């Protein structure tokens, strides 16, 4: 597991990596922000409360991919499709998503503002994805250990099938990451994340 000896190398790796990616991807970030701004009404950024390390809430950043006021429609849309509101709940052909939003979700560009969350100290480059408070409320006792590390922009479950894993397997993969952590594991996951995103994009 993560201990104090491992904490500072990972934190240094996160800050250097996030800064490097922000510089490298700056033109893409600006282009995405402009596309969101000029194609639909509302703010460029979308913030959502997520749960971080040791259960501490924080505001996770994303490029807005939905029309404003979309959160209030989620329960009704899930009910219409006969689905319950759970950690892996997905709405098919979600009418709330804008045209630009569909593109940036397909390419995972909507997640890039979380590089700022990493610099703020709320997230890590690699780790379990940050859960919603409603998801944490449903955790079984053994799943709460997932909150012992900072949540990540990329994770082991994303390169192990992405959305094709069920919730129990997702939790098990996150706990395996915590138990097996090393800087080399973080590097390997990051190197596998881009092909996983591209494969998902091409397959969609």
């Amino acid at each position: 597991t993560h201990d104090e000896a491992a904490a500072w190398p990972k934190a240094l790796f996160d800050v250097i990596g996030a800064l490097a990616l922000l510089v490298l991807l700056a033109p893409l970030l600006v282009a995405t922000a402009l596309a969101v701004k000029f194609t639909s009404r509302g703010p460029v950024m979308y913030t959502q409360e997520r749960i971080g390390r040791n259960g501490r809430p924080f505001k996770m950043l994303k490029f807005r991919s939905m029309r404003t006021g979309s959160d209030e429609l989620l329960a009704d849309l899930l009910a219409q499709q006969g689905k319950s509101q759970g950690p892996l709940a997905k709405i098919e052909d979600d009418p709330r998503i804008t045209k630009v939003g569909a593109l940036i979700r397909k390419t995972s560009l909507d997640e890039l503002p979380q590089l700022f969350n990493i610099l703020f100290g709320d997230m890590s480059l690699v780790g379990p994805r940050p859960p919603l408070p409603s998801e944490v409320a449903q955790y079984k006792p053994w799943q709460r250990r997932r909150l012992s590390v900072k949540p990540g922009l990329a994770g082991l479950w994303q390169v192990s099938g992405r959305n094709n894993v069920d919730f129990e397997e997702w939790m098990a993969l996150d706990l395996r990451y915590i138990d097996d952590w090393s800087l080399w594991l973080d590097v390997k996951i990051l190197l596998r994340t881009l092909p996983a995103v591209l494969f998902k994009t091409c397959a969609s």
Side-chain angles (χ1 to χ4, degrees):
T1 59
H2 289 241
D3 54 26
E4 292 305 315
W8 74 264
K10 184 172 174 66
L12 187 62
F13 178 73
D14 286 338
V15 170
I16 293 172
L19 284 172
L21 286 170
L22 282 169
V23 171
L24 183 67
L25 300 174
L28 192 56
L29 285 160
V30 171
T32 303
L34 291 173
V36 171
K37 179 67 178 176
F38 292 114
T39 57
S40 64
R41 292 181 181 178
V44 169
M45 292 291 184
Y46 169 75
T47 61
Q48 187 177 50
E49 183 174 289
R50 297 288 180 123
I51 302 300
R53 187 180 184 187
N54 298 326
R56 187 176 66 85
F58 71 97
K59 296 294 184 183
M60 189 182 78
L61 298 171
K62 280 189 173 187
F63 282 123
R64 182 175 56 83
S65 61
M66 292 186 176
R67 295 175 178 84
T68 52
S70 291
D71 284 347
E72 290 75 17
L73 303 174
L74 177 61
D76 289 340
L77 288 168
L78 287 170
Q80 289 171 21
Q81 296 189 4
K83 299 176 181 177
S84 59
Q85 192 164 349
L88 296 182
K90 299 288 182 183
I91 296 172
E92 296 172 15
D93 300 319
D94 195 330
R96 303 172 301 162
I97 300 175
T98 65
K99 289 182 178 179
V100 167
L103 175 63
I104 64 175
R105 281 180 166 221
K106 189 175 181 181
T107 54
S108 296
L109 290 174
D110 62 323
E111 308 282 359
L112 290 181
Q114 286 155 46
L115 291 168
F116 290 106
N117 283 122
I118 294 170
L119 294 182
F120 299 156
D122 295 320
M123 289 179 64
S124 182
L125 282 172
V126 181
R129 285 299 289 158
L132 292 162
S134 59
E135 295 170 8
V136 173
Q138 299 175 48
Y139 278 5
K140 297 173 184 175
W142 67 270
Q143 294 168 339
R144 294 194 66 84
R145 191 160 66 87
R146 188 175 183 266
L147 303 176
S148 64
V149 298
K150 287 182 183 179
L153 176 61
L156 185 59
W157 77 276
Q158 288 170 292
V159 297
S160 303
R162 208 166 166 91
N163 292 333
N164 298 325
V165 297
D166 62 27
F167 183 66
E168 293 286 321
E169 187 181 357
W170 178 11
M171 294 292 104
L173 284 168
D174 283 341
L175 294 182
R176 194 176 95 194
Y177 166 78
I178 292 170
D179 290 335
D180 296 344
W181 178 82
S182 69
L183 276 181
W184 176 234
L185 178 60
D186 278 6
V187 171
K188 286 195 293 185
I189 290 172
L190 288 172
L191 290 175
R192 289 171 61 190
T193 296
L194 183 58
V197 170
L198 289 175
F199 179 79
K200 179 200 172 201
T201 301
C202 294
S204 299

